[in-house]
Amino acid sequence: MRDHLRPGRATARTLLAAGTGLAATGALCLAVTGSATAAAPAAAGSTTVTPAGHAFAAKLTGKATFKAGSVTVTCTVSNSTGQVPAAPGNHNDAGPVSSTISAPTYSSCTTSMAGVSATVTTSGSWGVAMQNGSPSTAVMSIPQGGVVVKTSGLATCTVTAAPGGPATVNGSWTNGAPSTLTFSGASVPVTVTGGFGCPTSATTSTFGATYAVSDTTDPASQITVTG
């Protein structure tokens, strides 16, 4: 009778698995309960971008890189323009200040593949939102299909950014003379089409660039982000 009541190895394994599942379920419940009672994230602080109403120009310093899979496209020329909102729109008591910008242009582009050249075209309505902080941040908005990278030569590929809808790219802002806007390893959703040598399995691209942002209304002034 004792042998009959003693669980066999298979039964013991089943009980052990059930116990493990219950423990995992308990841990999950604890995690959910803990997250439910966690403090809410702090509200965004105030932001002021000055001078109010001034136009600005963003000019690439160094190189801009677009990397999808094993292929990297590097451009050495890029520009964009925009305007700080007029007062009181240049201030937000609890969040970022947004501006529309022209679609950045990219030229003098090369690729990491021998015998392959590249062109980058942009389109649509772009924007940037600056948030004061430590550090201050900037989020660039890209419209659907707003960037198209095409390669030619030994590999003919087309990389389309934000294929399913608008996307955002996170960067940092530093006040200075001139102020700078930096994107480092920022991820952007993409689709890649083409034949041999094209990274068609890639679904994201990383973007890196630093722009010097100057005041074109009054070159003696600087575009700054404060609280």
Side-chain angles (χ1 to χ4, degrees):
M1 180 65 73
R2 290 180 180 176
D3 291 339
H4 177 71
L5 295 176
R6 183 181 300 120
R9 291 183 179 177
T11 305
R13 283 196 297 267
T14 301
L15 293 173
L16 179 60
T20 303
L22 289 172
T25 302
L28 177 61
C29 291
L30 180 61
V32 170
T33 301
S35 63
T37 58
S46 65
T47 300
T48 302
V49 182
T50 54
H54 281 213
F56 60 82
K59 181 178 180 180
L60 179 69
T61 62
K63 301 175 181 179
T65 58
F66 307 84
K67 179 176 172 57
S70 60
V71 179
T72 300
V73 174
T74 301
C75 302
T76 57
V77 178
S78 178
N79 297 278
S80 180
T81 59
Q83 186 172 6
V84 177
N90 68 317
H91 173 78
N92 187 343
D93 285 334
V97 171
S98 300
S99 304
T100 58
I101 59 174
S102 65
T105 58
Y106 295 93
S107 58
S108 298
C109 302
T110 59
T111 77
S112 58
M113 302 173 66
V116 177
S117 58
T119 58
V120 180
T121 58
T122 58
S123 62
S125 178
W126 290 57
V128 64
M130 271 89 84
Q131 171 67 56
N132 180 58
S134 299
S136 293
T137 58
V139 177
M140 184 168 64
S141 57
I142 303 173
Q144 182 174 2
V147 181
V148 178
V149 180
K150 290 188 176 183
T151 66
S152 58
L154 296 179
T156 303
C157 318
T158 299
V159 181
T160 304
T168 56
V169 181
N170 296 322
S172 60
W173 176 274
T174 304
N175 290 330
S179 297
T180 56
L181 174 58
T182 301
F183 302 96
S184 179
S187 180
V188 183
V190 297
T191 56
V192 182
T193 59
F196 177 76
C198 299
T200 54
S201 62
T203 57
T204 60
S205 172
T206 55
F207 172 65
T210 297
Y211 291 88
V213 182
S214 57
D215 186 326
T216 55
T217 298
D218 178 8
S221 298
Q222 305 299 332
I223 305 297
T224 60
V225 177
T226 57

